[in-house]
Amino acid sequence: MTKRGLPHPEHLRLGQVLSGVRNHLLHEQVGLENAYPRTGPRAFPAKQLEVAIDALDAARRELENVVFEEHPEVAETYDYFPYEEHRAQVVVPEKPGANADSRRLG
């Protein structure tokens, strides 16, 4: 059986989520680069976040191609690269380990 792919609204939702996660990872990467050296062993976590961001970007570019193949009549370039106001916001606890009193970042 051939799989049908995602409906267009699901592509839109996924694009919002992936772009929000990317922005949050970039925010955290910059924080690490400001807190630790940019070379040597202590730079490894920030470099790994950069790898993750690059992987997310590659997935978003490929999914953009897919949405244009699956839904050419409604697909737009901002499906996977939405304007800032349409990106999902990552919600993190105010205090480590807490679930209540969350704040939005991104």
Side-chain angles (χ1 to χ4, degrees):
M1 177 201 291
T2 302
K3 295 184 178 184
R4 296 181 184 185
L6 297 174
H8 187 250
E10 186 62 16
H11 278 290
L12 290 174
R13 186 198 66 77
L14 185 56
Q16 291 172 339
V17 169
L18 293 178
S19 63
V21 168
R22 182 206 190 276
N23 281 1
H24 186 73
L25 289 177
L26 183 61
H27 173 81
E28 298 298 343
Q29 179 196 13
V30 169
L32 288 174
E33 287 177 343
N34 289 334
Y36 296 102
R38 292 188 184 206
T39 59
R42 297 189 81 186
F44 184 74
K47 290 183 185 293
Q48 288 305 107
L49 284 181
E50 184 177 358
V51 170
I53 291 166
D54 290 345
L56 268 174
D57 287 344
R60 290 166 65 204
R61 286 189 301 272
E62 186 57 34
L63 285 164
E64 181 180 46
N65 293 335
V66 169
V67 74
F68 274 97
E69 290 171 11
E70 292 178 355
H71 307 284
E73 66 286 351
V74 293
E76 299 284 347
T77 55
Y78 52 80
D79 289 354
Y80 279 96
F81 296 87
Y83 298 116
E84 188 167 346
E85 62 269 16
H86 296 286
R87 296 174 189 156
Q89 292 186 356
V90 175
V91 179
V92 296
E94 185 69 36
K95 297 177 183 176
N99 288 326
D101 301 323
S102 295
R103 61 186 171 108
R104 294 185 183 270
L105 294 179

